[in-house]
Every structure is written in C-alpha cells, then in structure tokens.
Amino acid sequence: MPCGQLDSGASPARYVLGVDVGSTVVKCHVFDRAAAVRGSSCRKVESLYPRPGWVELDPEVLWSQFIGVIKEAVQAAGLHMRQIAGLGISTQRGTFITWHKRTGKPFHNFISWQDLRSAELVNSWNKSLLLKVIHIIFTVLHFVTGNDRYLAPSFLTFSTHQISMKLSWVFKNVHEAEEAAKKNNCCFGTVDTWLLYRLTKGSVYATDYSNASSTGIFEPFTKCWNPTLCYLLSIPMSIYPPVKDTSFNFGSTDSEIFGVPIPIMAVVADQQSAMFGECCFHPGDVKLTMGTGGFWNVNTGERLFAARGSLYPLIGWKIGEEIVYLTEGSISDIGTAIKWAQDIELFTNVDETAEMAQSIADSQGVCFIPGWQVSGDDPYLCASFMGLKSSTNRNHLVRAILESVAFRNKLLYDIIVKKVHIPLRTIRADGGVSNNSFVMQMTSDLINKKIEKPANTDMSSLGAAFLAGLASGFWTDKEQLKKLRRIEAVFEPQKDSEEYRPAMDAWLQAMENSPHW
C-alpha cells in the first residue's frame, strides 16, 4: 500500500518514528506503544572524499535517503502516514552545512565530523602565543573565582573534530558564505537544523540543546552561543539558529512531502539520544556506545562538570524545566577499523570476528594501533599493526583489533572514575560493536563491572522515538519508558583484569612508540 494514502479502516495515530542519521547509515524504525519495532528501513550514507583528508556528504543525497527510509519503514510496517503520532530525529554530531537564508541554497556540501581540512589551522592555533595568553588569563580567573566555567578555557586546545575550526575555515575559504554573512543572509546548521529547515520548507530554523552543546561553540554554562570564541575565530554571530528544548513540538512536515503533515516532536544528537534510549536517567548512569567511534557518557544530573583532559561536558537533553548534563569521553575508529579489516578480507562476516578471536589463546604479541589516541588527537597519525611474525595469521590480526577496542575502553573508564566524582551505577552498551561478545566480555573483565546489552542496539533511533513520544503524549513519563527496556544479555567479569596485564602493557608500549612513526 503506497505511503501517504489512507484506507477506510486506518487506525488513529498509534506509532512513532525514530530516525537516526548516522555516520555510515540512515535508519528509520516504526515503534508501537510497547516500543517494539513494527517496521524498519536502512540506507548507507555515501561519504565524498574530494581531496585527501576531506570528508563531505551531498545534502541532496542525504535528504533523499532521509525521506526514503521514512517512507520505506512505514510501508514495511503496513501502515499509513496518518497513523504516525510523531517523528523524532537523531543525528550525527559535528557535521554541518551553511546555506543562503533567502534562497535556501547551500554554499558547500556537509562537512563531516571526520573531515581534516582544518588540521593546519588547528596546529597553528594550538602553537600560538594568543592561546597561551588565554590559558593564563582563565587559569587566574578560575583560581580567583573558583568558578568551573573558567576551567575549560584554561587548558583549551583545538582539534579537527570540532566544528569551530572548520567553520572558521569556511569563512576564510568560501567567498559566497563570507559575503552572505556580511548581509545577515547566512544560515549555519548541523544535520538536525538543516533537516528541520527542509522538512518545513524553510518555516522552521532551529536546533536543540543537545545538538548545540555538541558543536563546541555553544557554552553549556551560560547556555548561549559563545561570542568570545566566535570573535577569536572570526565567525559571525548572526549565523546561528535559535535553541529549543529536545522534546518539543518543532512543527509539522510540509504535507507535500509525505502526503500528510507529520508532527516533528524531537531532535537530538545521536549520543545523547542513545543515552535517553538506554533510560540512563539518573546521575551515575553510564552509556557505552561502540559504533563508528566509541563514546562513554555519564549522567551528571544537574551538575555540569568542566572539561578535564579527554572528558568534556555536554547538555544531554532539556525537557521543560529539566536540564540534564553529561560528561563524555570518546574513542575514534572502532567500527571504522573493523570495517577496514572486512574490506581487506580478514573476515567475510562481522559476526565471525568474536569466534575468530576466541579461537586462539592470545594475539601472539600482535598489537593494533588505531589512528587516534584516547586523549588528544594527532590528525596525521596512521593506524598500524606492530609485532607481526611469520606465524601471524588473520585470527591474530582480528583479535588484535578487538583487543584494542577493549583496551581503549579500559583507559577511558579509568579516566572517568578518576575525574568524575559521582558514584557510577549501571553501565549499558549499544551500537553495532556491542554485538561482539569478545569485546563486551573483555571490557567487562578489564573494568571489573557488569555491562548490560539491550535487545535493540539501535538506541539512537529509540531515544529519538522516546523523546518524540513524550512530547506528543504517546508515552506519559520516563517511568513508563523504563518499563519498556528489554535486556538481551548481561556481561559480568569472568577473569581478573591482571590476566590481561602483559597484553595491555605491550599494547601501551606500542601506543607510546606509534606517534614517532
């Protein structure tokens, strides 16, 4: 039955849509009131690589994929668009676009969070005298006032992951964007903002607190776009969208798109969405996502922890008067490394990898060095294997890759325990790599904690649906959502972490040597 058409026996709105626009795929799930998936669709995100180190997305292709998965998922569920109570949208963070306010025409493709075009700018700033002066000024301010708001700028460093540097690059290199900004005709948007703009044919220009705080340009303490940072980087303040609640009626899709208007009831950044989908509602709840990258998020409640080393503060979500803060640490190139191993035919199906790793006692001294470190990031660092021997086979290589994921989880967990002074409660994992029993068990052993894995690992989609469902009255409150959680597996420590000490020490030594290569 074609989407957008209504048969005479169509039911009232009894379903919500959760769409996740990720780094590798766009997914849509149709959820019923029991949070069961009634229909799904998935399309691969096609990245563009116009120059070495540049990573882009074609906005028109992404738009087509987004609309396509919604129509396909509703059709797969055997439903009509009029049966949809609301739409929740979860999006990858750190990917952005700018466009002309009057014409809606983009000035460039989406610039991905993985893009390295700002590497020279980043290195120049991080070595600059001005940044050293900023560190001194804010160190003094923090010492005098004791206000954590001044702590993060006291050791501010820039990275290629941050939007700020890439946005500064745009206004230095894209003349049309620079000229439009001078006339107050330039719009900036992360993926959520641009989708809202397109879905409403330009009538809604907004973002939410979770997406705004993930840009690095939005100040979580003041809950405003940061004018000081924008002044330093020559980014005009006029380009930013208004910031709304996460679970909020953003308006409805234009009726021409799906045949009927669908209420857009939530937009949320993907990691915060996964946190909400895991029902990590209480301070001390921990979410571990292992997808393209790895993300550890700790719910810190109403308390905002200033950035400390490789941890940084984020706004998790804002619903009415409630605002929840998170502390996050990230690990790059988890799923990416596994996908690369598949591409070079170390294995055929990703489901084989856990069995391959378990079929041998150890990696025989082989260490996999990811392209990025746990703390800090060297954009020029390449991934590598160390310790290869004539007896090394594909099982050893696969095990080394999976071990590197668990070792990095251990390092980041230890940093969290040391820096975040909140008792940690439940740890819940999601993302495609959480389906790997070897990685899950080894992580549990190393951190000596129980880890829960849900039945549905697409937590970003579920979180977006939960938030949309709350805003539309589809679900009543978070207590009801907690009752809908389904746990598929629980991984409890089975080995003493000391048993892994020789392998982890060898890996750490390899990591120390790798930057000099």
Side-chain angles (χ1 to χ4, degrees):
M1 192 159 33
C3 296
Q5 295 182 5
L6 180 70
D7 69 1
S8 56
S11 305
R14 292 179 179 169
Y15 306 90
V16 289
L17 301 179
V19 185
D20 177 32
V21 184
S23 301
T24 55
V25 294
V26 181
K27 297 178 183 176
C28 178
H29 295 308
V30 181
F31 295 96
D32 63 18
R33 289 191 194 277
V37 176
R38 296 293 298 268
S40 299
S41 180
C42 175
R43 292 192 184 186
K44 185 180 178 182
V45 171
E46 298 291 345
S47 295
L48 305 174
Y49 305 95
R51 296 188 191 178
W54 290 30
V55 187
E56 299 180 350
L57 302 174
D58 185 317
E60 291 306 316
V61 171
L62 190 66
W63 169 251
S64 174
Q65 291 171 327
F66 179 83
I67 298 304
V69 294
I70 291 176
K71 290 181 177 180
E72 289 162 6
V74 172
Q75 194 166 42
L79 301 174
H80 303 275
M81 290 296 179
R82 283 197 179 94
Q83 293 172 270
I84 305 303
L87 167 63
I89 304 171
S90 161
T91 53
Q92 58 177 281
R93 307 173 305 177
T95 296
F96 72 95
I97 195 169
T98 61
W99 67 92
H100 197 284
K101 183 182 292 185
R102 188 167 45 81
T103 66
K105 183 181 177 182
F107 294 119
H108 51 83
N109 285 335
F110 274 107
I111 298 176
S112 169
W113 64 272
Q114 299 165 306
D115 188 279
L116 301 178
R117 73 186 65 194
S118 62
E120 288 185 12
L121 200 57
V122 166
N123 287 340
S124 174
W125 261 99
N126 286 342
K127 294 175 182 175
S128 69
L129 177 62
L130 178 56
L131 191 60
K132 290 180 175 65
V133 171
I134 291 169
H135 289 169
I136 293 169
I137 291 171
F138 281 97
T139 298
V140 172
L141 283 171
H142 181 251
F143 177 77
V144 171
T145 66
N147 190 333
D148 270 1
R149 177 185 172 189
Y150 302 120
L151 183 59
S154 71
F155 48 77
L156 170 69
T157 54
F158 292 103
S159 83
T160 55
H161 277 177
Q162 295 164 344
I163 283 180
S164 55
M165 277 298 171
K166 283 177 276 201
L167 194 52
S168 179
W169 182 94
V170 165
F171 288 109
K172 286 178 169 62
N173 292 276
V174 182
H175 178 71
E176 295 86 349
E178 182 187 20
E179 288 301 308
K182 288 177 182 176
K183 300 174 184 176
N184 199 24
N185 273 329
C186 181
C187 292
F188 158 86
T190 42
V191 176
D192 61 297
T193 301
W194 185 78
L195 287 173
L196 275 175
Y197 192 83
R198 287 293 299 265
L199 286 166
T200 59
K201 294 206 170 173
S203 66
V204 177
Y205 179 52
T207 188
D208 91 296
Y209 282 88
S210 70
N211 277 293
S213 77
S214 301
T215 62
I217 308 170
F218 188 83
E219 171 56 63
F221 284 92
T222 60
K223 302 179 191 67
C224 296
W225 299 105
N226 190 326
T228 306
L229 182 63
C230 291
Y231 174 78
L232 287 172
L233 300 180
S234 303
I235 302 171
M237 284 292 291
S238 62
I239 66 172
Y240 298 112
V243 184
K244 307 291 185 184
D245 282 11
T246 307
S247 181
F248 179 77
N249 188 346
F250 287 88
S252 294
T253 64
D254 188 276
S255 57
E256 290 184 8
I257 298 173
F258 298 114
V260 294
I262 297 177
I264 307 167
M265 305 306 285
V267 298
V268 59
D270 57 3
Q271 296 309 314
Q272 289 93 317
S273 187
M275 190 85 171
F276 202 88
E278 291 273 27
C279 297
C280 292
F281 300 143
H282 304 286
D285 283 348
V286 181
K287 184 270 303 173
L288 164 60
T289 294
M290 293 183 287
T292 305
F295 297 89
W296 285 78
N297 296 90
V298 183
N299 184 326
T300 59
E302 297 177 354
R303 186 176 177 187
L304 180 59
F305 281 84
R308 286 174 170 84
S310 51
L311 304 180
Y312 43 91
L314 292 171
I315 295 174
W317 51 83
K318 184 176 182 297
I319 305 174
E321 295 302 309
E322 178 199 44
I323 186 160
V324 171
Y325 294 102
L326 311 178
T327 290
E328 180 174 279
S330 63
I331 306 166
S332 294
D333 291 340
I334 288 182
T336 311
I338 295 171
K339 177 66 169 61
W340 167 80
Q342 184 176 21
D343 290 343
I344 64 167
E345 299 182 352
L346 287 183
F347 56 88
T348 306
N349 190 311
V350 72
D351 296 335
E352 304 169 23
T353 56
E355 188 177 334
M356 291 173 71
Q358 289 159 351
S359 71
I360 50 178
D362 53 50
S363 68
Q364 211 177 63
V366 177
C367 297
F368 176 72
I369 310 305
W372 295 81
Q373 309 285 347
V374 172
S375 58
D377 53 341
D378 174 359
Y380 302 109
L381 183 65
C382 295
S384 60
F385 283 104
M386 291 190 181
L388 298 176
K389 306 170 185 68
S390 59
S391 58
T392 300
N393 60 38
R394 63 180 63 196
N395 290 347
H396 296 116
L397 298 177
V398 167
R399 181 169 177 129
I401 292 172
L402 300 185
E403 283 183 343
S404 77
V405 176
F407 290 151
R408 285 183 287 163
N409 280 337
K410 164 66 173 171
L411 290 182
L412 198 46
Y413 176 81
D414 286 349
I415 293 170
I416 290 168
V417 170
K418 183 178 179 181
K419 300 286 180 76
V420 180
H421 306 297
I422 291 178
L424 301 184
R425 291 163 42 104
T426 59
I427 300 177
R428 296 165 181 166
D430 65 87
V433 183
S434 70
N435 290 316
N436 190 293
S437 60
F438 179 84
V439 171
M440 291 289 287
Q441 186 58 58
M442 188 171 177
T443 300
S444 175
D445 291 343
L446 285 168
I447 68 174
N448 195 33
K449 289 287 183 182
K450 179 176 74 173
I451 305 175
E452 297 177 358
K453 187 179 89 71
N456 173 15
T457 56
D458 288 334
M459 280 295 129
S460 294
S461 295
L462 181 60
F466 275 171
L467 287 158
L470 288 178
S472 62
F474 189 79
W475 288 299
T476 54
D477 54 33
K478 287 186 284 189
E479 289 303 313
Q480 183 184 7
L481 299 182
K482 284 195 279 188
K483 294 174 184 175
L484 300 176
R485 286 192 68 238
R486 296 181 183 87
I487 300 172
E488 180 180 276
V490 177
F491 293 85
E492 300 198 38
Q494 293 180 357
K495 289 184 181 180
D496 191 305
S497 61
E498 284 302 307
E499 293 186 38
Y500 296 99
R501 177 59 53 194
M504 188 162 182
D505 285 347
W507 179 79
L508 287 170
Q509 186 178 0
M511 289 281 281
E512 288 174 9
N513 292 333
S514 62
H516 306 295
W517 177 248

